[in-house]
């Protein structure tokens, strides 16, 4: 009897570590990560993204499902912090600078969310390859050494790139192919074709506004210059793209915004558009360009490829019987097209994160675990989406976007291998565009150059103010001087704001890498 009792005790003692590791507390080994202490309270990791906070309760349901996985696997929970689209860049930068805000993961981008500026301002955590390899191993293994180099500043890594996802954020005009056909324009291939299209709309569709331009239209100036030249803008410094080079000499910074006749020609064209009535007489009352295009109120929408084939084209052809949306992409005339930077949708860790290692582990799960990925990208199967017989995503019967939609805006680590094609997108038209793109597209050349220093940020802010004054005026053709005088005044104000001094500093950065 004593021997049997002793044997039972011995078995329990031997099994105790195993029992503990199987749910009775203590540390548990996950073969991917360092040991996790499950005796502690789960750590909440806050992820910051751009978007309006949802109010229908559905996003919380999705996050709770993610949290069940994260708690079980790495003893963590996820929370989402939203920066509203209203004045988003100003609010985004201010939030990152606040000492009291508790944020861990930060969605960012070098070409639209001041990523390098926030590095220089100390808002992002410097990381080593060893740290990422240890706490974000699956992601680390799928990023090449050259891609990691593009994420570095002064030897430290500050971003995790979105390098496994193909997207096209190049802008252009979405127009009505059915109306263009009536005008004898088989396809809009040039800005002159676009002008003729607007003339036809003005004369034959008097109730339609040729272009009810609204929102940030500054990209149109850059679009014209990239169409008429082989200009390659640097997006990291300012969204206006006023610094860059020509693709036959990428080592020398030059810009058609500052010298040359192309900007003057653009100003003349915009004055012509103004005179023929392309815009409203009072553009301050312009509506939502996309919605008005879908309603047949305006003849074009200005947006990017991704928006064109995933949303605008299929939506237009549902709302306007017989309509045929087509895309005139900026740079088409000259074959000047840049692939999207791998840092367009990057992830950073806040410099104020109290749990940076756990934050990297959470990100690794969101990006690589198929169940977590589908939840944060698409929601709950059967509620937010279904997979049809062709393996494509579609909305369930009875889906109501107001009641059922989610907002997670996980644009900072998408992977083609885990994406589900949406059955509602215009894939045939997209594939036709890709044939054009693949013939001419060049990789974005500026990723490996951290064009950011504290010395030039103040001058760049002043130059941005000059651009914000003049570029909309030029686009609307809304100025009293001649086009030549308007451009000359713009360039002189750029010079006075320090354009040439900043250019010299940027050239030094370019020359040193």
């Amino acid at each position: 009897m004593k021997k049997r009792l002793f044997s039972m005790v011995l078995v329990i003692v031997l099994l105790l570590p195993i029992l503990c590791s199987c749910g009775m507390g203590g540390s548990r080994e996950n073969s991917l990560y360092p040991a996790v202490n499950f005796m502690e309270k789960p750590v909440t990791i806050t992820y910051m993204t751009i978007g309006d906070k949802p109010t229908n309760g559905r996003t919380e349901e999705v996050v709770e499902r993610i949290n069940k996985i994260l708690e079980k696997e790495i003893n963590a929970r996820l929370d989402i912090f939203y920066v509203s689209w209203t004045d988003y860049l100003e609010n985004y930068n201010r939030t990152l600078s606040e000492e009291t805000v508790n944020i861990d993961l930060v969605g960012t981008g070098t070409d639209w969310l001041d990523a390098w500026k926030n590095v220089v301002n100390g808002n992002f955590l410097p990381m080593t390859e060893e740290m990422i390899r240890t706490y974000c191993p699956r992601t680390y293994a799928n990023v090449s050494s050259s891609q990691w180099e593009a994420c570095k500043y002064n030897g430290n890594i500050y971003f995790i790139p979105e390098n496994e996802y193909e997207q096209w954020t190049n802008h252009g005009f979405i127009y009505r192919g059915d109306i263009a056909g009536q005008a004898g324009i088989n396809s809009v291939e040039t800005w002159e074709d676009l002008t003729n299209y607007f003339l036809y709309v003005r004369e034959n569709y008097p109730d339609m506004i040729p272009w009810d331009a609204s929102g940030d239209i500054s990209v149109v100036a850059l679009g014209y210059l990239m169409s008429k030249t082989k200009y390659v803008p640097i997006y990291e410094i300012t969204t206006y793209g006023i610094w860059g080079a020509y693709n036959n000499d990428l080592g020398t910074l030059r810009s058609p915004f500052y010298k040359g006749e192309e900007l003057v020609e653009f100003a003349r064209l915009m004055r012509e558009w103004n005179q023929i009535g392309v815009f409203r007489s009072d553009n301050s009352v312009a509506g939502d360009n996309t919605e008005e295009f879908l309603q047949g109120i305006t003849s074009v929408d200005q947006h990017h490829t991704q928006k064109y084939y995933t949303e605008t084209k299929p939506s237009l052809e549902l709302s306007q019987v017989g309509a045929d949306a087509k895309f005139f992409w900026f740079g088409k005339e000259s074959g000047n097209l840049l692939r999207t930077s791998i840092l367009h949708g990057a992830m950073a860790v806040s410099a104020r994160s109290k749990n940076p290692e756990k934050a990297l582990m959470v990100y690794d799960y969101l990006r690589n675990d198929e169940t977590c990925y589908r939840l944060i990208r698409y929601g709950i199967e059967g509620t937010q989406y279904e997979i049809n017989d062709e393996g494509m995503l579609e909305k369930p019967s009875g889906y109501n976007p107001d009641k059922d939609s989610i907002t997670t805006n996980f644009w900072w680590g998408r992977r083609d291998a885990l994406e589900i094609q949406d059955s509602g997108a215009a894939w045939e038209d997209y594939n036709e565009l890709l044939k054009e793109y693949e013939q001419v597209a060049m990789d974005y050349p500026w990723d490996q150059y951290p064009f950011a220093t504290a010395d030039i940020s103040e001058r760049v802010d002043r130059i941005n103010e000059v651009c914000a004054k003049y570029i909309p005026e030029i686009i609307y053709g809304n100025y009293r001087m001649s086009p030549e005088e308007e451009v000359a005044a713009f360039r002189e104000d750029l010079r006075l704001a320090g354009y040439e001094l900043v250019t010299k500093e940027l050239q030094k950065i370019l020359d040193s890498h």
Side-chain angles (χ1 to χ4, degrees):
M1 182 66 182
K2 290 182 179 178
K3 289 183 178 179
R4 182 181 299 176
L5 182 61
F6 176 78
S7 297
M8 290 175 65
V9 171
L10 181 60
V11 169
I12 292 172
V13 170
L14 292 172
L15 285 176
L16 189 58
I18 300 173
L19 293 171
C20 288
S21 69
C22 293
M24 295 180 66
S27 296
R28 183 166 78 224
E29 285 291 334
N30 180 320
S31 60
L32 291 171
Y33 309 101
V36 176
N37 189 346
F38 284 85
M39 293 295 286
E40 297 178 346
K41 182 180 179 180
V43 173
T44 296
I45 296 301
T46 300
Y47 146 62
M48 175 171 150
T49 192
I50 306 295
D52 297 319
K53 186 174 182 178
T55 57
N56 62 6
R58 291 301 201 185
T59 303
E60 288 82 353
E61 294 173 0
V62 170
V63 171
E64 191 53 39
R65 291 208 181 190
I66 293 172
N67 284 338
K68 288 181 180 179
I69 298 170
L70 296 179
E71 283 191 27
K72 178 183 177 183
E73 298 296 331
I74 55 174
N75 200 32
R77 291 180 62 82
L78 178 72
D79 187 34
I80 303 178
F81 182 95
Y82 297 88
V83 175
S84 173
W85 281 113
T86 303
D87 299 323
Y88 70 90
L89 186 57
E90 178 184 346
N91 292 328
Y92 173 88
N93 287 331
R94 187 183 66 251
T95 301
L96 287 175
S97 299
E98 290 177 357
E99 295 287 344
T100 57
V101 175
N102 183 23
I103 292 170
D104 301 285
L105 293 170
V106 183
T108 193
T110 54
D111 53 354
W112 69 293
L113 281 175
D114 284 352
W116 287 121
K117 180 178 179 179
N118 280 295
V119 168
V120 171
N121 289 342
N123 292 326
F124 293 151
L125 182 75
M127 298 177 286
T128 65
E129 288 196 40
E130 180 59 30
M131 179 182 182
I132 298 171
R133 184 190 299 113
T134 302
Y135 296 100
C136 205
R138 287 180 285 188
T139 301
Y140 178 83
N142 290 316
V143 179
S144 69
S145 58
S146 62
Q147 290 168 338
W148 283 127
E149 285 299 315
C151 302
K152 289 182 179 180
Y153 185 77
N154 288 342
N156 291 307
I157 295 173
Y158 283 89
F159 313 120
I160 302 176
E162 192 177 53
N163 64 310
E164 298 180 86
Y165 179 72
E166 181 181 62
Q167 63 177 320
W168 292 95
T169 56
N170 59 308
H171 279 246
F173 281 108
I174 306 169
Y175 66 95
R176 291 278 296 270
D178 51 312
I179 295 177
Q182 296 168 15
I185 303 169
N186 181 53
S187 174
V188 173
E189 302 287 330
T190 66
W191 287 75
E192 289 70 29
D193 288 342
L194 192 60
T195 302
N196 290 332
Y197 171 78
F198 285 145
L199 281 167
Y200 183 85
V201 170
R202 197 78 186 91
E203 293 169 2
N204 295 277
Y205 290 83
D207 295 330
M208 184 179 282
I209 304 164
W211 178 26
D212 199 21
S214 62
D216 183 4
I217 61 171
S218 60
V219 69
V220 174
L222 178 59
Y224 180 89
L225 296 175
M226 290 183 69
S227 294
K228 299 299 182 179
T229 72
K230 290 283 192 175
Y231 180 60
V232 181
I234 301 169
Y235 292 116
E236 286 87 337
I237 312 162
T238 168
T239 56
Y240 297 102
I242 63 168
W243 280 283
Y246 293 94
N247 71 358
N248 63 343
D249 183 13
L250 292 175
T252 304
L253 297 183
R254 292 181 294 150
S255 174
F257 280 99
Y258 198 61
K259 291 186 177 180
E261 286 300 307
E262 292 84 9
L263 187 62
V264 176
E265 293 166 1
F266 175 68
R268 292 192 194 111
L269 179 63
M270 294 299 100
R271 175 61 63 85
E272 180 184 348
W273 283 14
N274 181 295
Q275 292 170 344
I276 65 179
V278 169
F279 314 107
R280 287 181 187 265
S281 56
D282 180 5
N283 55 55
S284 68
V285 297
D288 183 310
N289 190 199
T290 299
E291 285 302 313
E292 291 184 337
F293 182 65
L294 298 179
Q295 296 167 20
I297 295 172
T298 186
S299 75
V300 297
D301 182 26
Q302 188 280 123
H303 223 290
H304 53 57
T305 297
Q306 204 89 349
K307 180 87 169 181
Y308 162 66
Y309 81 89
T310 60
E311 297 181 38
T312 306
K313 181 177 176 65
S315 296
L316 175 72
E317 293 171 5
L318 284 175
S319 62
Q320 302 290 321
V321 178
D324 173 28
K326 292 188 176 182
F327 191 61
F328 170 59
W329 49 276
F330 297 152
K332 186 170 186 174
E333 289 171 76
S334 59
N336 187 15
L337 179 64
L338 300 177
R339 297 183 188 276
T340 304
S341 165
I342 61 171
L343 300 180
H344 173 76
M347 187 66 86
V349 176
S350 169
R352 297 171 181 84
S353 173
K354 297 179 178 63
N355 297 283
E357 294 86 2
K358 188 63 67 95
L360 288 172
M361 292 164 70
V362 168
Y363 177 71
D364 209 39
Y365 257 90
L366 297 178
R367 176 167 170 152
N368 298 282
D369 180 83
E370 186 171 11
T371 303
C372 285
Y373 188 93
R374 286 196 176 189
L375 283 166
I376 200 164
R377 286 285 290 130
Y378 306 115
I380 299 169
E381 188 170 2
T383 302
Q384 277 79 39
Y385 74 97
E386 291 179 343
I387 306 296
N388 65 20
D389 292 339
E390 286 75 41
M392 302 183 78
L393 182 146
E394 59 185 34
K395 296 303 181 186
S397 176
Y399 175 86
N400 181 329
D402 293 331
K403 181 173 68 74
D404 299 319
S405 66
I406 65 168
T407 304
T408 58
N409 294 354
F410 187 71
W411 304 319
W412 334 95
R414 290 166 291 184
R415 300 180 61 210
D416 287 328
L418 296 180
E419 287 286 297
I420 310 170
Q421 284 196 339
D422 192 323
S423 62
W427 293 106
E428 185 176 335
D429 294 82
Y430 174 66
N431 289 331
E432 286 301 311
L433 275 176
L434 278 187
K435 291 178 183 177
E436 295 182 40
Y437 291 177
E438 294 296 341
Q439 292 178 9
V440 298
M442 63 179 289
D443 289 339
Y444 185 69
W446 309 117
D447 274 338
Q448 70 263 35
Y449 303 104
F451 290 111
T453 68
D455 298 338
I456 64 173
S457 61
E458 186 177 333
R459 285 197 177 99
V460 170
D461 289 342
R462 292 201 298 268
I463 289 165
N464 273 332
E465 291 173 3
V466 173
C467 292
K469 175 183 184 295
Y470 281 95
I471 290 179
E473 285 181 359
I474 292 172
I475 291 173
Y476 284 115
N478 187 21
Y479 45 86
R480 295 180 180 179
M481 298 182 285
S482 69
E484 293 79 4
E485 291 169 329
E486 175 76 2
V487 170
F490 172 44
R491 288 171 169 172
E492 176 60 12
D493 280 2
L494 285 177
R495 187 188 68 80
L496 294 173
Y499 182 86
E500 293 177 358
L501 293 172
V502 172
T503 302
K504 289 179 181 178
E505 292 302 311
L506 297 175
Q507 186 69 55
K508 289 179 184 177
I509 295 172
L510 182 62
D511 292 343
S512 66
H513 283 72

